[in-house]
Amino acid sequence: MKGKIYKGFSRLAENEKRKLVAHLCEEPGITELEMNSFIFKDSIRREMFMDLSENTVSSFHLPFGIAPNFVVNGNIYHVPMVTEESSVVAAAASAARFWADRGGFAVKEITTTKLGHVYFQWFGSDKDLYDAWTHLKISLLSRLKFVTSSMVQRGGGIIKLELSDDRHKTDHLFRLIVEFDTVNSMGANFINTCLEELAQGLDEGLNHGKNHEDADCRIVMSILSNYVENCTVTVEVGCPIRNLLGITSGMSPLQFAQKVELAYQIAWNDVYRATTHNKGIMNGVDAVIIATGNDWRAAEAGAHAFAARSGQYRALSQCEIINDHIRIWLCIPLAVGTVGGITNLHPLARKSLEILGNPTATELMSIIASVGLSSNFAAVQSLVTIGIQKGHMKLHLVNIFNALAATPRQRQLATEFFSGQKVSFSAVKQFIDEH
Ligand code: MEV
């Protein structure tokens, strides 16, 4: 068997954990000192950072960049993006600049309802459950007041509480469906606290102290849903087709527009293309979500489920040409916040929000969706014209230089040589070895 089980790793002191990990690396490996050097130096931030997660031994850096000049609903934003992928920031920025001169991004629709569920099994009669529910609903809502009061003061709280019969999905299964408005916070903790309180109220109200095996109501679990079909934003760009001139790579604006429209149709109908098309959207979306300290796993899960809402996985963005006008739009679920969580704790997340002018959650949703649409448009524009590899490999060349530890002279010679050549790792390596 390869490797060894370590018991009690979490109980080791921080430096002992680091020593152990350094020891795991092959020579010359990362040293304890190197790992330490990536962590904040000042003690307050260091402690906060180390406490964000468990068993922390170091920090993992990613590039933090700015994609300038996003015009969204008439306002200009210079958007912080965190990504390791070459050309994502450059492509988003270039599409943002292009659309800035053509009216920018317009938010067409925005919804903000978040969802959570309490799943339980019911073994009693339907009549008993529905009779009890009428009173229980009122007492559950009042029981929650101590949790919801400050959210209500901020303009949010529970919007709806419903009982759903889910026995067509799973035997005996019922569900409380709870809708929330969490205003400027993502609200995950708030929602889950409410749900667990509701579950306890349900248990007490329906079981009257009976133990789990004898109880008519058996709570299964309480959890928010990352499928936020009513927390979506739709952003759109568009212009007369003749105004596309400049990015059409030798095609006429009409030929280019028709090819772009076709590319969006393919992504709408074909799951293979839809997945990659949506990945291109998420390149931009995730980068802003990470920069602002939001939960990109939630955004990813929600976006892809939403893409499959019709029963077929489709593109999240669409394009249509009507008369001489092209219109491209993206509708995406985004449960993000601008207060709470690590948005205010992580120094760079806080800076990102400051750079964006301390937006509200809906403003941030609009910005993120605009960046997603920019990334998407830039990718499709390249794909239907010169392909993505030319621009991508030009930027990737620098990564290859770094991987090969090329000298400044080798970099200069290789940059000149590969400006007219296809870039591949092996070709660059051969060139560097020979110079
Ligand atoms: C690469 O990270 C993203 C693209 O593949 C997106 C797309 O194909 O639309 C270029």
Side-chain angles (χ1 to χ4, degrees), residues 144-161:
L144 271 185
K145 277 194 182 130
F146 84 100
V147 189
T148 56
S149 62
S150 67
M151 188 61 86
V152 171
Q153 268 168 22
R154 280 182 268 142
I158 291 183
I159 304 169
K160 207 174 183 183
L161 172 61

Side-chain angles (χ1 to χ4, degrees), residues 214-280:
D214 304 326
D216 285 336
C217 166
R218 298 184 196 166
I219 304 292
V220 184
M221 60 188 160
S222 317
I223 187 70
L224 65 72
S225 176
N226 290 122
Y227 185 58
V228 281
E229 59 189 331
N230 291 317
C231 189
T232 61
V233 53
T234 306
V235 287
E236 182 179 307
V237 286
C239 68
I241 286 170
R242 65 178 180 282
N243 290 355
L244 293 170
L245 205 63
I247 54 163
T248 59
S249 298
M251 283 181 257
S252 76
L254 182 60
Q255 281 170 333
F256 171 77
Q258 285 169 339
K259 213 170 167 193
V260 166
E261 187 187 40
L262 191 59
Y264 277 83
Q265 268 168 20
I266 293 170
W268 183 255
N269 291 319
D270 173 47
V271 67
Y272 295 97
R273 177 59 203 145
T275 309
T276 321
H277 181 100
N278 289 344
K279 193 272 183 183

Side-chain angles (χ1 to χ4, degrees), residues 132-383:
W133 174 244
T134 318
H135 309 287
L136 200 53
K137 182 173 170 173
I138 297 161
S139 73
L140 287 176
L141 286 172
S142 82
R143 177 190 178 112
L144 271 185
K145 277 194 182 130
F146 84 100
V147 189
T148 56
S149 62
S150 67
M151 188 61 86
V152 171
Q153 268 168 22
R154 280 182 268 142
I158 291 183
I159 304 169
K160 207 174 183 183
L161 172 61
E162 262 176 17
L163 176 65
S164 164
D165 182 347
D166 284 2
R167 287 176 292 186
H168 58 287
K169 294 181 190 166
T170 305
D171 282 353
H172 302 287
L173 192 67
F174 282 80
R175 178 171 49 130
L176 291 190
I177 303 177
V178 197
E179 290 184 5
F180 298 87
D181 180 350
T182 58
V183 200
N184 284 322
S185 64
M186 187 202 168
N189 276 332
F190 168 74
I191 294 174
N192 287 331
T193 304
C194 288
L195 294 171
E196 289 187 7
E197 190 61 35
L198 282 171
Q200 201 176 327
L202 201 64
D203 184 40
E204 288 169 14
L206 292 174
N207 291 331
H208 313 290
K210 282 188 198 154
N211 60 28
H212 189 76
E213 297 78 63
D214 304 326
D216 285 336
C217 166
R218 298 184 196 166
I219 304 292
V220 184
M221 60 188 160
S222 317
I223 187 70
L224 65 72
S225 176
N226 290 122
Y227 185 58
V228 281
E229 59 189 331
N230 291 317
C231 189
T232 61
V233 53
T234 306
V235 287
E236 182 179 307
V237 286
C239 68
I241 286 170
R242 65 178 180 282
N243 290 355
L244 293 170
L245 205 63
I247 54 163
T248 59
S249 298
M251 283 181 257
S252 76
L254 182 60
Q255 281 170 333
F256 171 77
Q258 285 169 339
K259 213 170 167 193
V260 166
E261 187 187 40
L262 191 59
Y264 277 83
Q265 268 168 20
I266 293 170
W268 183 255
N269 291 319
D270 173 47
V271 67
Y272 295 97
R273 177 59 203 145
T275 309
T276 321
H277 181 100
N278 289 344
K279 193 272 183 183
I281 294 171
M282 300 313 283
N283 274 345
V285 167
D286 285 347
V288 190
I289 292 194
I290 296 170
T292 55
N294 277 287
D295 183 343
W296 75 96
R297 287 85 58 209
E300 284 283 344
H304 297 296
F306 190 70
R309 67 193 179 285
S310 66
Q312 185 187 329
Y313 186 92
R314 294 185 187 281
L316 288 163
S317 59
Q318 293 177 75
C319 169
E320 79 179 358
I321 295 174
I322 295 181
N323 300 325
D324 64 346
H325 200 94
I326 185 165
R327 185 169 87 87
I328 305 169
W329 69 99
L330 163 70
C331 178
I332 187 168
L334 283 172
V336 293
T338 55
V339 296
I342 70 154
T343 55
N344 308 101
L345 271 181
H346 194 292
L348 274 175
R350 201 169 51 218
K351 269 289 161 251
S352 295
L353 292 167
E354 277 172 39
I355 292 167
L356 292 172
N358 294 317
T360 59
T362 49
E363 208 178 339
L364 183 60
M365 285 167 78
S366 311
I367 296 166
I368 294 172
S370 302
V371 178
L373 187 54
S374 279
S375 297
N376 173 231
F377 176 75
V380 174
Q381 181 220 338
S382 292
L383 288 170

